[in-house]
C-alpha cells in the first residue's frame, strides 16, 4: 500500500516534528497557545511520568489514602458508577459519541463503517492522558490534552442492532463496521469553567481501526513470516485489533497492545489442521465468532495464512500528529499483549514490562539498546526497535531470572529450527517455552512505582493449575486422560486461583537491564468470608473484616504519589463466588502496608478498566467496559448504563448499554484519593 511520505513521520526520526510544530501545523490558530509554553525548545518530555531518578528501595508510605471507602454492592447491584463520598463521577465519552462532530449517537440504527470511523469505538479499555505543554508548573497542562482510548472488542449484536446476530448472514458492510469499532480513539479534551468536555471539532481527533495503514519495524519487519500477497515485502500492515491494555512512552507516544487477536481469524477450508504456530496462539477455524473471514479474505487463515503473524504486537502511535502512521514494534515480541509499562532508569536506560494474558503464559521485559534522550524527542523515535527481549523465570525463594530470547543463544539456534531474530519474535511464545519461563496465572496489567521502580503485575485468575486426574465418562465408562496442567509454584501458589493475585519484583541493583531480580507475592486476592481457606486471600482490609475484598485484578496503575489503583474484571455481580464482593470495583492500595480501600463500584456485568489522571492528580478518567454483557441477545437484560430516557434530539429511547469513559473529580478540587482520614463504611 503506498504511503504518502508525510505519513511516515513517526518512523523516520530525520523527519520528526516537535510537538509544537505539530500543534502549529494542524491548527495555526493555536499559535497564541504556544506562546505560553515557556522555553518551547525545552518543552522536552522530561516532565512526562516515569522519567524518575531515585534509587531502588522498598515502597515508601504514600501521602495518604483519604476517603470513606464504599461498601460492596449487594444484590441487586446498582446499575451505576458509584464513587466514594466527596467525589463526583460523570459519563464522559461513550461508544458512538462523535470524536469531533456534532451529531449525537442514535441507538436505533445499526452502526455503519462510515459512522463508526468518526465515533467512539466499542469496549473501552487501556487509556492515557497526554497533556498539552504549558508554561505552568511542570510544563504540562492539567486542563487540556489528548485522551487516547483503546477499544478492545465488540458486541456484534449491539453494533448491528440484531438480537440474532449469529443467524444473520455476514455482509462485507457488517465486517467493515465491526473492524471500524475496534482500535483506538484519540480525542482532545479540555476543562473550561471547571467542566471537562471533548473538544469538537478538534484537529487532533482520530480513530485508528482494524484497517488503518501501519508499518512494521524491528527484527520481524520484512521477515518471510510476515509476507502476504497484499504485502510481499512484509513491511506494511492494515490495522490493529483487540487493543486491550496499553502503555505510554516518556517521549510522548501511546502504545496500544494487541491481545486476543486470534479470535478474528477463521476459515471455511476443511478439513482444518492447525500448525504448531497456530496452535500455540489459539488460531482455529471458528475464531471467536466474528465471521470477518467470511467477507474479508485477509482474515481467512487458509487464504492468507501469514496474516495472524501480523497481529499480537505492541503498536506505537503519536497522538500529537493525527496523520502519523502507527508502527508495530516487533522487537517487543508477539503474544497476547496486555499492557506495556515503559520505565526510564537513573541512567536513562529504558525497559518495557509486558504480560501475555493466557493461562500459563509469561511475563516479559524488553531492554532498549539505546538510552532515553530527554532533550530531543526525535532521538527516541526508534528506541523500541533495538534491544533485548527477556522472559521471566520466577524461581523458588524469591529469586528471579530474565531469560534472553535472542537468536543463537540458549536453545534458540538453527539446530533447533530457529531461523533468525525475526523468527524468534514472531514465535515469541515458543521461544519462551523453549527457554523455560515460568507459567503464570494470566498476567494482565503491569505498574511501576513512581519512585522506587518496583514492578507489580496482576495475575487475574487461573482455576486450572495442579493435578487434573483422568475422568471416567458417566454413561459409557470410557476414560479421558488428564491433561497436562502445571503444578502450583511459589509465584502461583493456589491450585484454584479463582480470585487472582499480585506479584511484584525489584531489579537487582535497581538496574533496569539486570538479568536477575527479587520477587514476592504482594497480595492474594479473595473473599475473606469464604469457608474455603484457599479462597480467602490476604487482602489487608481498612478496618472491617471483608470490607476491602476484591478478585480478578486486571487494571493496575500507580498515581504520582505512589497510591496503587487496582481494577477488577470478575465474571459476575454479587452472585456465586462474588456474593460477598459485589460488583466490579476500583480500589486504592497503600503499597507499603497493603491497606486497601474500595473507591468505586460499577454498573452491572461490566469490567472496570483504564485509569489515568491529569499530571496534578486532580482529574481521573476510568473506563467501564461491556456493561450488561450476557450474550443472551437482549441488549438491556442486565444493564442499560449509562443512558436512560429518550434522546432529546431524536426522541428515540436510549436503551443500548455502552462502554464509556468516566471522568472523576474530588468535590473540593483536591487530588483523587489523597488525604489522611479513612473511615470504613
Ligand atoms: Fe483484555 Fe487480558 O484483558
Ligand atoms: Ca485486561
Ligand atoms: Ca481480564
Ligand atoms: Ca476486557
Amino acid at each position: 500500500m503506498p504511503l504518502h511520505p508525510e505519513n511516515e513521520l513517526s518512523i523516520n526520526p530525520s523527519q520528526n516534528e516537535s510537538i509544537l510544530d505539530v500543534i502549529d501545523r494542524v491548527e495555526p490558530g493555536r499559535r497564541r497557545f504556544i506562546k505560553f509554553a515557556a522555553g518551547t525548545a525545552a518543552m522536552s518530555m522530561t516532565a512526562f511520568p516515569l522519567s524518575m531518578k531515585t534509587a531502588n528501595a522498598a515502597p515508601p508510605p504514600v501521602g495518604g489514602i483519604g476517603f470513606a471507602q464504599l461498601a460492596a454492592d449487594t444484590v441487586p447491584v446498582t446499575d451505576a458508577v458509584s464513587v466514594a463520598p466527596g467525589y463526583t463521577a460523570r459519563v464522559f465519552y461513550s461508544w458512538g459519541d462523535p470524536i469531533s462532530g456534532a451529531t449525537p449517537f442514535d441507538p436505533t440504527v445499526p452502526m455503519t463503517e462510515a459512522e463508526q470511523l468518526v465515533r467512539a469505538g466499542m469496549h473501552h479499555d487501556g487509556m492515557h492522558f497526554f497533556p498539552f505543554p504549558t508554561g505552568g508548573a511542570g510544563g504540562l497542562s492539567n486542563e487540556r490534552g489528548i485522551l487516547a482510548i483503546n477499544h478492545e472488542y465488540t458486541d456484534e449484536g449491539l453494533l448491528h442492532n440484531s438480537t440474532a446476530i449469529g443467524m444473520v448472514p455476514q455482509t462485507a458492510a457488517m465486517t467493515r463496521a465491526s473492524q471500524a469499532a475496534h482500535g483506538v480513539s484519540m480525542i482532545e479534551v479540555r476543562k473550561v469553567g471547571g467542566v471537562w468536555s471533548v473538544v469538537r471539532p478538534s484537529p487532533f481527533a482520530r480513530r485508528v481501526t482494524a484497517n488503518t495503514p501501519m508499518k512494521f519495524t524491528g527484527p520481524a519487519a520484512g521477515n518471510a513470516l510476515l509476507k502476504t500477497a497484499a504485502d510481499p515485502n512484509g513491511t506494511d500492515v492494515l490495522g490493529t485489533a483487540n487493543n486491550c491494555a496499553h502503555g505510554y512512552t516518556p517521549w510522548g507516544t501511546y502504545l496500544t497492545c494487541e491481545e486476543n487477536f486470534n479470535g478474528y481469524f477463521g476459515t471455511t477450508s476443511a478439513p482444518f489442521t492447525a500448525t504448531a504456530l497456530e496452535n500455540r496462539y489459539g488460531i482455529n477455524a471458528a475464531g471467536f465468532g466474528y465471521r470477518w473471514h467470511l467477507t474479508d479474505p485477509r482474515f481467512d487463515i487458509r487464504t492468507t495464512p501469514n496474516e495472524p503473524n501480523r497481529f499480537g504486537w505492541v503498536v506505537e502511535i503519536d497522538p500529537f500528529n493525527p496523520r502519523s502512521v502507527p508502527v508495530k514494534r516487533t522487537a517487543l515480541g508477539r503474544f497476547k499483549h496486555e499492557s506495556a509499562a515503559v520505565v526510564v532508569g537513573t541512567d536513562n536506560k529504558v525497559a518495557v514490562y509486558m504480560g501475555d494474558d493466557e493461562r500459563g503464559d509469561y511475563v516479559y521485559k524488553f531492554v532498549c539498546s539505546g538510552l532515553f534522550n530527554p532533550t530531543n524527542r526525535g532521538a527516541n523515535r526508534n528506541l523500541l526497535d533495538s534491544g533485548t527481549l527477556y522472559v521471566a523465570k520466577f524461581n523458588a525463594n524469591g529469586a528471579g531470572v530474565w531469560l534472553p530470547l535472542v537468536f543463537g543463544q540458549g536453545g534458540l539456534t538453527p539446530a533447533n529450527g530457529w531461523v533468525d531474530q525475526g523468527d524468534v519474535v514472531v514465535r515469541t511464545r515458543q521461544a519462551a517455552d523453549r527457554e523455560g519461563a515460568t507459567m503464570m496465572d494470566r498476567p494482565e496489567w503491569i505498574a511501576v512505582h513512581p519512585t522506587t521502580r518496583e514492578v507489580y503485575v496482576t495475575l487475574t485468575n487461573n482455576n486450572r493449575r495442579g493435578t487434573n486426574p483422568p475422568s471416567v465418562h458417566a454413561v459409557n465408562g470410557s476414560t479421558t486422560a488428564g491433561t497436562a496442567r502445571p503444578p502450583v509454584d511459589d509465584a502461583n501458589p493456589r491450585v484454584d486461583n479463582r480470585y487472582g493475585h499480585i506479584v511484584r519484583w525489584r531489579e537487582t541493583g535497581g538496574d533496569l537491564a539486570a538479568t536477575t531480580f527479587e520477587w514476592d507475592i504482594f497480595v492474594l486476592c479473595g473473599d475473606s468470608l469464604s469457608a474455603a481457606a484457599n479462597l480467602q486471600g490476604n487482602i489487608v482490609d481498612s478496618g472491617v473484616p471483608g470490607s476491602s475484598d476484591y478478585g480478578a485484578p486486571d487494571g493496575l496503575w500507580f498515581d504520582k504519589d505512589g497510591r496503587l489503583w487496582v481494577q477488577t474484571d470478575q465474571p459476575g455481580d454479587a452472585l456465586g463466588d462474588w456474593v460477598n464482593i459485589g460488583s466490579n470495583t476500583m480500589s486504592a492500595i497503600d503499597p507499603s502496608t497493603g491497606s486497601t480501600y474500595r473507591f468505586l463500584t460499577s454498573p452491572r456485568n461490566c469490567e472496570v478498566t483504564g485509569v489515568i489522571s491529569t499530571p496534578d492528580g486532580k482529574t481521573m478518567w476510568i473506563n467501564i467496559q461491556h456493561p450488561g454483557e450476557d450474550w443472551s441477545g437482549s441488549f438491556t437484560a442486565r444493564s442499560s448504563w449509562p443512558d436512560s430516557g429518550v434522546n432529546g434530539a431524536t426522541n428515540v429511547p436510549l436503551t443500548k448499554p455502552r462502554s464509556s469513559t468516566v471522568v472523576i473529580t474530588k468535590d473540593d478540587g483536591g487530588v483523587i484519593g489523597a488525604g489522611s482520614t479513612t473511615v470504613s463504611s
Side-chain angles (χ1 to χ4, degrees), residues 307-548:
E307 193 68 18
N309 298 340
R310 294 150 64 85
F311 288 82
W313 303 103
V314 172
V315 186
E316 185 171 12
I317 308 174
D318 184 349
F320 297 106
N321 182 354
R323 283 176 276 196
S324 62
V325 175
V327 182
K328 297 199 177 190
R329 301 287 185 187
T330 67
L332 275 57
R334 175 175 168 264
F335 41 90
K336 295 187 179 180
H337 277 283
E338 183 73 27
S339 68
V342 182
V343 193
V344 177
T346 52
D347 45 12
N348 284 327
K349 285 180 185 168
V350 181
V352 188
Y353 294 104
M354 302 170 286
D356 181 354
D357 181 6
E358 186 103 52
R359 287 187 191 90
D361 261 291
Y362 308 131
V363 169
Y364 294 85
K365 172 172 83 165
F366 179 77
V367 179
C368 297
S369 300
L371 300 179
F372 172 57
N373 183 331
T375 59
N376 180 352
R377 188 187 194 217
N380 301 304
R381 280 296 184 151
N382 295 322
L383 270 183
L384 299 180
D385 284 342
S386 308
T388 306
L389 181 64
Y390 298 91
V391 67
K393 189 171 197 307
F394 293 82
N395 290 320
N397 68 32
V401 181
W402 292 110
L403 304 168
L405 302 179
V406 176
F407 174 68
Q409 295 187 20
L412 305 177
T413 60
N416 291 324
W418 296 91
V419 176
D420 53 25
Q421 186 63 21
D423 180 33
V424 168
V425 293
V426 170
R427 298 193 287 145
T428 301
R429 281 183 163 185
Q430 285 131 307
D433 295 344
R434 172 100 212 170
E435 296 307 291
T438 299
M439 299 171 75
M440 307 298 286
D441 287 350
R442 294 189 53 198
E444 296 250 26
W445 288 42
I446 293 176
V448 184
H449 190 279
T451 56
T452 67
R453 295 188 188 77
E454 192 170 50
V455 191
Y456 291 63
V457 60
T458 47
L459 299 158
T460 197
N461 60 59
N462 183 1
N463 59 2
R464 298 184 195 174
R465 202 174 267 279
T467 58
N468 182 30
S471 59
V472 179
H473 195 282
V475 177
N476 65 22
S478 65
T479 300
T480 302
T483 50
R485 290 181 178 181
V488 295
D489 58 36
D490 284 24
N492 302 276
R494 292 195 280 193
V495 172
D496 179 0
N497 187 15
R498 72 183 68 172
Y499 292 114
H501 62 296
I502 298 175
V503 164
R504 64 180 170 185
W505 64 87
R506 298 156 291 281
E507 300 286 359
T508 300
D511 178 5
L512 296 183
T515 54
T516 57
F517 58 91
E518 292 177 356
W519 64 268
D520 66 342
I521 292 177
F522 175 61
V523 66
L524 296 172
C525 306
D527 173 2
S528 58
L529 304 179
S530 171
N534 180 59
L535 301 179
Q536 290 167 356
N538 58 10
I539 290 169
V540 180
D541 62 59
S542 59
V544 178
S547 61
S548 302

Side-chain angles (χ1 to χ4, degrees), residues 125 152 244-245 259 338 357 442 444-445 554-555 569 607 609:
D125 208 314
E152 186 182 23
C244 187
E259 192 190 17
E338 183 73 27
D357 181 6
R442 294 189 53 198
E444 296 250 26
W445 288 42
D554 191 337
D569 178 19
E607 161 188 348
T609 185

